[in-house]
Amino acid sequence: KLSRLVFNHKFLEDVKAKGEGAFLFTEETAPSDAYVKLAADQSDVMSPLNGFYVTPELKQGFEEANGLDSLTGVYQNLIALNSIVKYGKTVIAPTTIARNFMSAGFFTVANGHFDWSKTQKSLEVARSYFNSKEGDATAYLRELKRWGVVYDTPIAGELIKAMEDSGSDALQNDLIGMEMAKGKFAKGKAGGQKVASFFAKFYQYGDDFWKIVGFQNEMDMLMKAKGLSYEDAAPIAAERIRNTYPTYSLIGRAMQQLRRFPLAGTFVSFPAEIIRTSFNMFKYLKQDMADPDMRPSVHRRLAGMALVSGGIYAIQAAAFAAWDVSEEEEEAIRLMSPEWSRNSNIVVTGRDEKGDLEYIDLTYLDPYAYWKRPINALLRDQPALVQSAQEMLTPFFGKDISAGTVFNLMVNEKDSGGRIYNPADTATNITADMGGFLFKNLAPSVFQNLNRTMKAVNGEVSKSGKKYEVGDEALAWVGFRTTTFDPKVSLHFKAYEFNQDKRDATSILTSTFRDPNDVSNGDLINAFERASGARKEGFERMIKLVSAARSSGLNDTQLMMVLRSNGVTKKDARSLVKGDYKAWAMSDSTLKNTIKKSDLLFGKAKGKEFEDRWKLIQE
C-alpha cells in the first residue's frame, strides 16, 4: 500500500510537469473548453493537481481510472460478499487454477508465439514474482510492470478491483462493522491475509507466465525483422501484448460498470477482453502484411489463429471417430446435457463398463470458446439464431453465481430441475437442506474437490447411480472433469422439466379461465392459443429428447419406464415415445372444481359464467 501511494504521487507529479499549459490550466489561462476543476483546492487525493482546470472529458477519465465514485452502504457489502464467493470459486480452487494456467497458453498459440523455450524466462523470475528482492529478475519484472505487461490480468484484476470497491482487501473484511480484536485473533487474521495474498498472486502468475513468454517471442520477432535494439523493441512488444493478451486496465467503461452489478455476469471482464484482443490480432496481422520487414512473421500469426480456431474441432472430430460416435449420439449428448454445455466443444475419452460415453467439456480450457459456442449453435438443428444470440450475451447478462444461488433458493428449484428442500419436511431438515445448498454453491470449490475425493476413496455412489472414481477425481484436481453420459439419468431430469413445462402451459389458460372478474371471449381465446402453443413446444422439445435417448441405446420399453417413473402420465408417455403430439383437451375435473369454488365464493351466477367459458374453450 505504501509503494502504491508513492507511485501514485510520482505519477501525479509527472502529469503536472507534462500537463501545465497543455491540458492543465489555471483559472486565468484556461481556454473555453477547459471549464471544470479537476479536484477541489483542498483535495489530498489529487494533490498536486487540485485546483487546475481541465476539459470535462479529462476529468471523467481521471475519475474512472481512479475509481473515485466509491461504493457505500448495503451495496458495498453485497459487492464484498460477492467478491469473496468469486475468490473461493477461482483463486483458491485447484481445478480453476489449473484450467486458468492451461487456457492462458492458448494466447501464445493464437499470436504465433510458438517458441515455448521462452518459458525458461518465466520460471527464472518466479521467485521474484512471489517474493520481491533486489536482483535482475525483480528489475525485469518491474520493467514489464511499467510497460503494463504483467500484474494486469482480467479475472484477478476484476476481483482486486471489486475488493477495493467494497473497501476490503482479500480476506480483510469488516462487513458487520466490528473492530478486529488484538492478540491471537489479529495474528490469525494477518496469517489468513498472507495466504489469501499468495493465492491471488499465484492465480495471477498463471496468466503472467504466458504473457512473459509472449513478450519474449514478440521481442525476438521485432528485433530480428526490424533490426531494433532491445530498448526500442520493448515498448512496441509491450503494446502488442497488452492489445492481444487480456489486460484488465484496458477494459472499457461499460464493462467496468457492469462488473460492479452483483446480479449479472460472473466475470464480465474476461469475455470483453476476448472480443477486444481478437479484433486486435486481426489489426496487427493487417499491419504486418503491409510491412515488408514484418511480412515473414505473418505465416506464424495465421497458423496460430488457425490452430486456436479449428484445432478444438479437429480434436473433437478425431475423438468421435475413434469411439464410433454417430451424429445422432453426439446430438443426444448435447440435447440431454445441462443447458450450459449444450453448445460446448466436447472430447469423448471412452466408454464405461455399461457402454455409456465419457467426455470432457473443452470450453473450460479454451479461452476462445466465446466465439465457438455461437457457431456450434448455428451448426446444430436447433433454434440456431436464438441460441447463438444467447451464447453471445450470457457471459455478460447471465446470472451471477451468488445471485443465481439466492434466486434458486427463493423458488426452491435447482438449475437441474429438482427441489432444494421438501416443504413438507421438518423445519430442521429444511434448514439443513438450504444450508447444504448454499454451502455447495457458494463455498470455495476446494471443499467440493475434497468431498468428492473422499467419496471416491470410500467407494460411494452418487444419487444418479454414478460411482465416484479416484482417477476421475484426481484429474479434476488438475483441471479435467470427466462426465459420463447416461441416457436414463439424463431423461430422468428432462422428464421433470417436461412436467413443469406442462404445468406452466396449463396455468396460462387456467389463470384467465378462473379469473372471477369479467373476461372477454377474445381474452379467453388468446389465453388458450398461448397455452396451446407453449404446451406444443414442450411436447416437441421432449419428443426430441426421447428420440435422442433412443439414439443412445434405450428401447421403447426402457423409455416408457423412465418417463412413467418420473410422473409422466401413461397417455403422454406413449405420445412421446411414438413422437406423436395430440391436440390438447382440458379435463372435466378442471370445470367441476372451478364451478364448485365459484358457487361457494361468488354465487350461482358466476358458476354459469364459468360454464360459458368452458364451452368456448371446448370449441
Side-chain angles (χ1 to χ4, degrees), residues 57-91:
E57 293 81 6
L58 186 59
K59 181 177 181 179
Q60 179 183 331
F62 266 100
E63 288 177 348
E64 289 174 0
N66 293 330
L68 298 182
D69 52 336
S70 58
L71 306 174
T72 57
V74 175
Y75 193 57
Q76 182 185 44
N77 289 339
L78 283 174
I79 295 293
L81 284 169
N82 202 24
S83 302
I84 291 169
V85 171
K86 290 178 180 179
Y87 184 92
K89 296 296 183 184
T90 53
V91 174

Side-chain angles (χ1 to χ4, degrees), residues 220-254:
D220 283 357
M221 291 165 65
L222 287 167
M223 291 168 69
K224 182 178 179 181
K226 305 288 290 183
L228 299 175
S229 65
Y230 184 93
E231 290 74 19
D232 292 335
I236 302 173
E239 181 186 1
R240 289 194 167 207
I241 296 302
R242 290 197 305 272
N243 287 331
T244 56
Y245 285 62
T247 303
Y248 179 76
S249 61
L250 296 180
I251 294 166
R253 190 197 326 171

Side-chain angles (χ1 to χ4, degrees), residues 491 545-550 554-564 573 576-577:
L491 192 62
L545 294 169
V546 170
S547 177
R550 184 185 286 111
L554 297 185
N555 57 41
D556 288 357
T557 302
Q558 291 172 315
L559 291 171
M560 285 292 294
M561 288 177 62
V562 173
L563 293 171
R564 295 288 291 123
L576 293 171
V577 172

Side-chain angles (χ1 to χ4, degrees), residues 172-183:
Q172 190 172 350
N173 207 317
D174 60 347
L175 286 176
I176 56 175
M178 56 183 271
E179 291 189 11
M180 306 308 292
K182 296 181 179 180

Side-chain angles (χ1 to χ4, degrees), residues 128 133-142:
S128 294
K133 292 182 179 179
E134 292 305 320
D136 292 342
T138 301
Y140 173 76
L141 283 173
R142 241 183 234 136

Side-chain angles (χ1 to χ4, degrees), residues 120-142:
Q120 183 178 351
K121 189 67 175 179
S122 298
L123 294 171
E124 285 175 4
V125 302
R127 182 185 292 271
S128 294
Y129 194 95
F130 295 99
N131 186 16
S132 297
K133 292 182 179 179
E134 292 305 320
D136 292 342
T138 301
Y140 173 76
L141 283 173
R142 241 183 234 136

Side-chain angles (χ1 to χ4, degrees), residues 316 320 323 325-351 355-361 380 483-487 490 494 544-545 547-549 551-552:
Q316 178 179 267
F320 283 152
W323 295 102
V325 180
S326 65
E327 288 186 10
E328 292 77 13
E329 201 168 8
E330 177 193 349
E331 184 61 20
I333 295 174
R334 297 190 183 281
L335 281 171
M336 304 185 75
S337 293
E339 187 175 338
W340 57 82
S341 63
R342 62 187 174 181
N343 293 313
S344 296
N345 287 96
I346 57 177
V347 170
V348 174
T349 58
R351 296 182 185 268
D356 293 331
L357 286 170
E358 296 178 324
Y359 64 91
I360 293 174
D361 188 337
R380 296 175 56 217
T483 302
T484 301
F485 173 59
D486 187 332
S490 299
K494 297 300 180 181
K544 282 185 179 180
L545 294 169
S547 177
S551 299
S552 300

Side-chain angles (χ1 to χ4, degrees), residues 30-68:
S32 60
D33 61 339
Y35 56 86
V36 295
K37 192 175 285 189
L38 182 59
D41 293 335
Q42 65 273 21
S43 172
D44 291 330
V45 176
M46 293 296 290
S47 177
L49 302 186
N50 47 318
F52 280 107
Y53 283 80
V54 296
T55 62
E57 293 81 6
L58 186 59
K59 181 177 181 179
Q60 179 183 331
F62 266 100
E63 288 177 348
E64 289 174 0
N66 293 330
L68 298 182

